[in-house]
Amino acid sequence: MKSTFQIAVFQGDGIGPEIMAPTVELLSGLATAGGYGLNFADAPAGAAHYRDTGESFPVASMEAARSADAILLSAMGLPDVRYPDGTEISPQIDLRKALTLFAGVRPITIRPGQPTPLATDKPVDFVLIRESTEGLFYTQGRGEVERDEARETLRITRAICEPLFKFAFDLAASRKAAGRGPGKVTCVDKANVFRAFAFFREMFDAEAAKHPGLEADHAYVDATALWMVERPWSFDVMVTENMFGDILSDLGAGLMGGLGLAPSADIGADHAVFQPCHGSAPDIAGQGVANPMAMILSAAMMLEWLGGRHGVPAMTADGARLRDAVDKVVAEARVLTRDLGGTAGTADVAAAVKEALA
Ligand code: ATP
């Protein structure tokens, strides 16, 4: 059984290196105590790298990502560093395409003590899966624009949707086994209006039939936006098309009181990238005040994914412990960064998470 794993580390831009360093330190401590190995290898890429070298994503870094067991990425891009055509430098999108990372996994969790615009103290804990390679983003950058008309194409394929839905049901099963959810998957679509979404739903139903121990239901995307605000605790795992998922994941971040506690993963058949939902926050870079929690929670997702995939229970357990440690620090509300209403710095929060782990 494999017990040592290669992790490609994209330190990124802005606050990226500041939140990555304590995260790698926490992971190294867990690995040493847990009896598994994590070998971290830096993969240079991003806007600062482009400014300094003229290259935004060196071939060697792509190769390091491709050959790694998992990829940790902080945030890339700087508003004032752009390609000559004016577009931003975003190697994370290149990675998603090159490694066919079709499942964008966005946990929506409201912990005790976490600021939220919702007037409820009911715990909220569900996962939004956004298909990330096709849908309405299929013609991204290739849309046709004429004088009086513009066209983009929505594409839904069996090759992507079948593994996507399998991933969603497997996730619901593992959450159910861990006591985190009832084992329910909701297909979010617009099957009442578009034939492509009826096809999407048909493939979802075929996968659902293979999981008699799990619940499956459907919801239209517009109603889902309403229910995410009215009764977000009723969801467990939801799976949807790229553009719908893009919009609903920001709604989810809003429910979570912002991006400081929002982790994510982009997962495919053979590769996965774990990164916070927030960007490189150049406005606060270099001040030591960035909140590392979303990065740490993304690292926890990485441990759970690697542990499940390779059958290493210690890693799966450490993923849950790391998440619980962050929950504890948030609930205690003693050591929080400014975005969560506190005055602590990045290093203080990392130290508090380390203490909560012990
Ligand atoms: P991108 O387009 O790359 O996602 P963005 O322009 O939407 O980025 P962010 O870089 O996420 O924005 O920053 C948005 C705001 O949130 C900024 O004011 C930033 O300082 C703040 N912010 C983002 N991440 C953090 C963090 N980890 N800790 C504290 N504040 C943060």
Side-chain angles (χ1 to χ4, degrees), residues 87-150:
T87 56
E88 282 191 38
I89 282 102
S90 47
Q92 62 275 32
I93 295 176
D94 301 338
L95 265 177
R96 211 178 284 164
K97 285 184 184 156
L99 304 181
T100 320
L101 307 176
F102 52 77
V105 182
R106 311 275 183 274
I108 315 290
T109 314
I110 305 174
R111 303 159 175 78
Q114 184 168 338
T116 168
L118 292 176
T120 178
D121 49 12
K122 275 197 186 193
V124 172
D125 180 23
F126 67 95
V127 181
L128 167 66
I129 302 173
R130 165 189 174 186
E131 194 293 311
S132 302
T133 59
E134 52 180 27
L136 194 51
F137 282 72
Y138 175 61
T139 45
Q140 188 185 0
R142 294 180 287 128
E144 296 162 32
V145 182
E146 293 162 10
R147 199 182 77 93
D148 298 318
E149 187 177 323

Side-chain angles (χ1 to χ4, degrees), residues 15 19 76 259-260 277-284 289-292 339:
I15 60 169
I19 56 174
M76 290 201 248
L259 293 168
C277 289
H278 61 71
S280 62
D283 53 333
I284 56 164
V289 297
N291 184 356
D339 57 307

